[in-house]
Amino acid sequence: MTDATRLRAEHLTKSFAGRRVLDDVSLSVAKGEVKGIIGPSGAGKSTLIRCLNGLEPLDTGRVWLGADELTARKADIDALRARIGFVFQDFNLFTHLRVADNLMLGLRRVRKMDAVEAERCARAELDRVGLADKWQAWPAELSGGQAQRVSIARALAMAPEVMLFDEPTSALDPQSVGSVLRVMRELVAGGMTMIIVSHEMAFIEAVADDVVFMADGAIVEEGPAGQLFNTPHAAATRAFIDGIAAAHRGEATTP
Amino acid sequence: MSQWLAFAGSHLPTLLAGTGYTLTIWAVAMIAGFVAGWVLAVARVYGGSISRRLAVGYIELIRGTPLLVQMFIVYLGLPQIGIVFAPLTAAIVAIGINTAAYQAEYFRAGIRAVRPGQIAAARALGLSRGQAIRHVVLPQGFRIALPQWANEVVIELKYTSVAYAISVPELMGRAKEIGAASFRYFAIFCVVAVIYLVLVTVVTLVLDQVERRYGLRH
Amino acid sequence: MIYAVIWDNLPYLAEGAAITVALALTLLVIGLVVGTGLGLIQAYAGWPLRLAATLIERFFRAIPAIVLLFLFYYGISVFYNISAFPAAALALGLRSAAYQSQIIRGAIAAVPAGQLAAARAIGMTRAAGIRHVVLPQALRQAIGPWTNEALSELKDTSLAYTIGVVELMRQADYIVSATYGHQLAVYSAAAVVYLALSLAANWALTRADRRLAVPGLSH
Ligand SMILES: Nc1ncnc2c1ncn2[C@@H]1O[C@H](COP(=O)(O)OP(=O)(O)OP(=O)(O)O)[C@@H](O)[C@H]1O
Ligand SMILES: [Mg+2]
C-alpha cells in the first residue's frame, strides 16, 4: 500500500441468510482518485459500499481508512465513519429537522462544534451545492434533486477524507439528475477522493479514473475507465455495457 | 333550567376546586407516564433480552387489568407491605403506572415506523447508536405517534375520575359529596358532565393544533 | 393463610367474574347495534341526521364512564326504578356505541367505492348495496379495531362497581371486608382474573379474525 491510499478493503465476504452477496472482494482508492462501480442489479454494489463504512457488518475481511483499521476489534467505528461521507440513493434527510439542522446535527453532536461555528460551516456547504436559500426549508419541501444536493452538503460538512455514493441519481427524475451530477463534477475537480456506484455510464466514464465491474458478489473486471468501457476483457462486462448502451438507444436488450 | 343554573352556580366554587385536583392528577401522571413510557418503549425495542421481557411483561400486565384494580392495589394493598400513599399521591402513582404502559405502546409503534434509512444516515455521519436513537429515532417516533398519544392524553383526563373511588376530592368526588348532601344527584352530575365536556373539548382542540404543527407521517 | 383466603373465596370471585362477563357482553351488543346505526348514519345520511349522530358520539366520548354511570343510574331512577346492572349496561353500552360507530365509519370508508358501484350496476338499490355488499365487508374489516374496543370495555366494567353492580371488584371488596384485610392479596387475585379474561378474549377474537379471513380482503 502506498501512502496515498485512502480507503482499502481486502477479501470482504458477506452473506445474507446463507446466500453469498460479497465473495472475496478487494478494492482500494488512492487520494484524489475517483472510482466507479458498475454492475447489474443485485450484484452486491450497495452491500459493498455500505461495508466500506461499516453500515453493514462484514462476515470476514478487513477495511482501512488511511492507517486506521475500521474492522479492528477496538476501532472507534463512529469516529472513523465521521471521516467518511456517505450519500444514499434515497437521500435519507432527517425528516424532523430543517435543512439547517440536517447539516448541523453531525457537526454539533460528533464534531462537537459550537453553534456559531457549526452554522458557518453548514452555510458554506449549502452554498457550495447552490442551495443557500433552502437553509430554513423542511426536507419534504425539497425536490428530489435538491434533497440529494442537501444530503451531499450534509456529508461534505463533516470534511470527509473520502466520499461514498450509492446510486445518488437513481431516485431522481431526469431533470434533477443533471443538478446532482454537476455538484459531483465539481467535487471531482476539487480533488475529492470518491467511490461512486452508479448506472449513469456516461458520467462514470467521464469522471472516473478507474472502474470496477461487479456481478454476483464478485469483481469481474477492474481497469481505467476508457479501457473498461471501450475494450473490456471479460465477456460479461461487454454484455453488460452493450446492454446498457442498447437500452439507451431504445432498442430491445433481448432478441 | 334557571333553577338548575342557580343550583350549578352555588356549587361551582366547590366543583372548580375539584377540577384543580383533576388537572393536577392528570398533568403529573401524564408527565411521569411520558418519561416512563419512553424508557419502556426503548427497552422493548432496543433492550437486551432481559429488559425487553421485563418491558413486555409490565406493558401486558398493566394493559390487561383495569385502572380501578391498579388504584386499589396502590392505595389499599401496598400499605400492607409498608408502602403508604396519601390518596392524591396514590391516584397519581396509579394513573402514572397505567398511562406509562399505553404511552409505551404508542411510542414503540412510532419508533418502529421510523424508516431504517434515517438511522443509517445518522450512523453514516458518525453518530453513535445511542445518539442516533436520541436525536433521530425518538423525535421522529414521537411525531409519528402523536395522534395516538394525543388520544391517550384525553382518555387519561377522563380516567382521573376513577380517583374518587379512593376518596380524592377531585371533580367526581366533589359531585358525589354535593349529591349526598342535597339529594340532587342527577342535577349535579349534569353539571359535572358539562365541565368534563368543556375540559375534554379544550384539550382536544389544543392537541389538534399541536398535531397539525408537529405531526409527521410516512 | 393468604392462599386459603383466596381459595375459600374463589366461588365469590367466579360469581363476580360471571357478572363482569355478562355486563361486558351486554354492553358490547348494545354498542354494536347502536354503533352500527350511528356509523351508517354518519356515512350515508343527510346532514341533519349526520350532525345529530356526531353530537351524540362526541357527547359520549367526552364524558368519563363513571359520570355516565351516575347520570344514567340517577337520571333514569327519576321516572323508572332501574337497578344497577341495566343502568350500567345502558350507560357503558351507549358509550361503547360512540366508539364503535367510529370503527364502523372507518371500516366503511375503507371499502372501495367500486364495490357499491358494482352492486348498483347489477340492479341493487343503494340501500341493498350498502346492506349486502358494503356493510358485510366493513364489519369484517372492523374485527381488528373492534378487539381493542372489546378488551377496553371488559376492563371498564369494573367501573360499574361505583353504582353498586356486584361484579368482580365488588365481590373483591366484600371478601376484603369479610376477612378483615388481605387487600393486597384479594385485589391482586382480582387483577389476575381480569388478566385471564383479557387474554382469553384477545385469543378468541384474534382467532375469529383469522378464521373469518377472506383472501384479498386485507386490513
Ligand atoms: N438486508 C438484506 N437482507 C437480505 N438480503 C439482502 C439484504 N440487502 C441486500 N440483500 C441481497 O443482496 C444482494 C445484493 O444486494 P445489493 O443491494 O448490494 O445489490 P446492488 O448491486 O446494489 O443492486 P441494485 O443495483 O439493485 O441496487 C441482492 O440479492 C439482495 O437481495
Ligand atoms: Mg444498490
Side-chain angles (χ1 to χ4, degrees), chain C residues 34-47 49-58 61 97-106 108:
Chain C
V34 180
T36 305
L38 283 176
L40 284 171
I41 288 173
Q42 285 174 312
Y44 296 112
W47 74 263
L49 269 177
R50 236 175 29 230
L51 181 67
T54 304
L55 286 178
I56 293 172
E57 185 206 320
R58 287 292 153 88
R61 284 177 36 200
Y99 287 108
Q100 293 192 43
S101 76
Q102 223 186 355
I103 295 172
I104 298 286
R105 201 154 28 108
I108 287 175

Side-chain angles (χ1 to χ4, degrees), chain A residues 53-55 76-88 91-94 96-112 125 150-160 162-164, chain B residues 117-129 131-132 135-136:
Chain A
N53 77 341
L55 277 180
D76 182 352
I77 185 76
D78 296 326
L80 289 167
R81 267 203 205 103
R83 293 163 52 193
I84 304 173
F86 197 100
V87 175
F88 297 85
F91 336 131
N92 289 339
L93 291 180
F94 303 123
H96 67 301
L97 298 177
R98 290 179 189 274
V99 166
D101 295 308
N102 260 278
L103 267 69
M104 291 193 289
L105 183 66
L107 299 175
R108 298 296 309 276
R109 303 292 165 188
V110 179
R111 292 270 184 256
K112 309 287 183 199
E125 294 306 333
V150 169
S151 103
I152 293 174
R154 178 175 70 179
L156 290 175
M158 302 294 286
V162 50
M163 287 281 289
L164 310 180
Chain B
Q118 296 285 311
I119 302 174
R123 299 305 305 272
L125 285 174
L127 272 76
S128 67
R129 188 173 131 97
Q131 283 178 317
H135 296 293
V136 176

